[in-house]
Amino acid sequence: MSEAFDALKAREQAAVMSTYGRYPLAVSAAKGCRLYDLDGREYIDLLGGIAVCNLGHCREEIAEVIAAKARELVHVSNLFYQREQVELAEALKATCHAGKVFFCNSGAEANEGAIKLARRYMRTVKERDAYEIITLTHSFHGRTLATLTATGQDKIKFGFDPLPEGFITVPSGDIEAMRAAIGPHTAAVLVECIQGEGGVNPLSKEYVTTLAALCKEKDILFMCDEVQCGMCRSGRFWAFQHYGVEPDVFTCSKALANGLPMGAVLATDAVAAGFAPGAHATTFGGGALVSAAATKTLAIMRDDCLAERAARMGDFAMALFEDVKAQCPGKIETIRGMGLMLGIVLTFPGSDVWKKLLDRGFVLNLTQGNVLRLLPPLVIEQEDLKLFASALADILGEV
Ligand SMILES: Cc1ncc(COP(=O)(O)O)c(C=O)c1O
């Protein structure tokens, strides 16, 4: 590592709380699908800020919108009507079946909002004492107390008890376990159609369609967490659209404003009636600057057909990685995912492979110990994927 990196690392350790297992890299600039470190070394970015910079880093049209809004209107609060927020809500509605949107600032806050909406809808509209939220093993829904309780992975709960009541986790893919868990107090089921952090696990079509029907039968809400798999990443605008289902509530964040912090809860008109003035709020949610950036992000996604591009490039990447698997027998267990949300599952712990890839200039994530997770900007070119596949094949040949 360079002197500049070591100095920054030491300053950080002295000043910033230690909550992240950081990569040995400090990014000083980014453009498109490239990152640059403190010494100007270039990296191919296959992580996109963890599924955030779907249009590529520092996209010119977004930079222009941000710069212009920064001089016109940044923030006034939700005490006021804001044209930019309304335009964004309309643009989001045009992508799906939802009738109303609530804006917030992150994925966890969006899921927190969805959980609150489900409970309040049951209490005020359905007049039922229904508050339980059922989630799946290997899920990830965030780090607030409610969303980490909802998350189906114990490792993130350690040290934070007592945890809020009213959450049940059932084995993913097991519809009978779900049926058994639903009771008189159940308000909603919350799932990621493609689990991200949990190892890139797409739920099966049969499971999701049966689950949505089960929720209808039991008169509880079917809710999807689209924080990671949404916004064109999976090859459709929303991942649930692959499954032919329409969740009563769904959440998004990450790529919504292509790098500015933003989240949203979307719901059908009927369910959105669970909220009333004063029921839920957040100071920054849907501010003019982020909303304008997000509206531009959505327009580019639509005009550039980014969902279709993600599907095409995902197929291309999948074929390349299948070749690598064939070239390196015994090293890759499987490759899974949809669109440009891909997991290369190694047959052994992957930290060495991950580090060698980083040393060769490829930034990606290792999740669950052995899954190389790729969430590149959706504008990535075939050439970059080929370079990565070739480096991966070399490295797997060595280990
Ligand atoms: C599916 C999913 N839900 C929720 C979250 C939490 O989002 P945030 O980190 O913005 O709170 C994440 C973050 O990775 C996620 O992948």
Side-chain angles (χ1 to χ4, degrees), residues 290-323:
V290 279
S291 292
T295 301
K296 189 68 186 174
T297 301
L298 288 179
I300 294 173
M301 285 178 169
R302 184 197 58 215
D303 294 348
D304 291 1
C305 303
L306 272 196
E308 292 79 356
R309 188 174 203 283
R312 263 195 332 274
M313 296 301 281
D315 288 348
F316 179 81
M318 193 66 109
L320 282 177
F321 304 159
E322 288 294 347
D323 280 352

Side-chain angles (χ1 to χ4, degrees), residues 50 106-109 111 140-143 192 197 225 227-228 253-254 373:
I50 320 184
S106 70
E109 197 187 350
N111 286 332
F140 184 81
H141 299 297
R143 299 280 189 162
E192 301 157 78
E197 172 66 30
D225 177 340
V227 167
Q228 188 166 146
S253 180
K254 286 192 180 283
R373 180 170 51 151

Side-chain angles (χ1 to χ4, degrees), residues 1-12 22-30 34-43 358 363:
M1 283 299 126
S2 73
E3 264 177 47
F5 175 81
D6 289 341
L8 182 66
K9 185 173 168 185
R11 282 172 60 198
E12 197 219 58
R22 301 227 197 257
Y23 295 174
L25 174 64
V27 179
S28 62
R34 293 288 185 279
L35 305 179
Y36 301 90
D37 72 11
L38 297 177
D39 305 302
R41 182 174 173 208
E42 184 177 287
Y43 294 78
L358 184 66
V363 170

Side-chain angles (χ1 to χ4, degrees), residues 111-184:
N111 286 332
E112 190 85 27
I115 292 163
K116 286 180 70 179
L117 176 60
R119 287 183 171 181
R120 206 169 187 285
Y121 169 76
M122 286 296 169
R123 258 64 179 261
T124 63
V125 178
K126 291 281 185 179
E127 299 182 339
R128 271 165 42 195
D129 182 27
Y131 51 85
E132 268 166 12
I133 310 292
I134 306 180
T135 59
L136 303 182
T137 48
H138 312 298
S139 60
F140 184 81
H141 299 297
R143 299 280 189 162
T144 62
L145 275 173
T147 58
L148 78 80
T149 307
T151 291
Q153 301 185 54
D154 284 340
K155 65 181 183 198
I156 72 159
K157 304 183 188 190
F158 175 77
F160 296 122
D161 53 308
L163 299 176
E165 288 175 28
F167 293 89
I168 300 175
T169 298
V170 299
S172 178
D174 183 342
I175 202 73
E176 287 317 313
M178 178 64 78
R179 187 180 281 281
I182 296 172

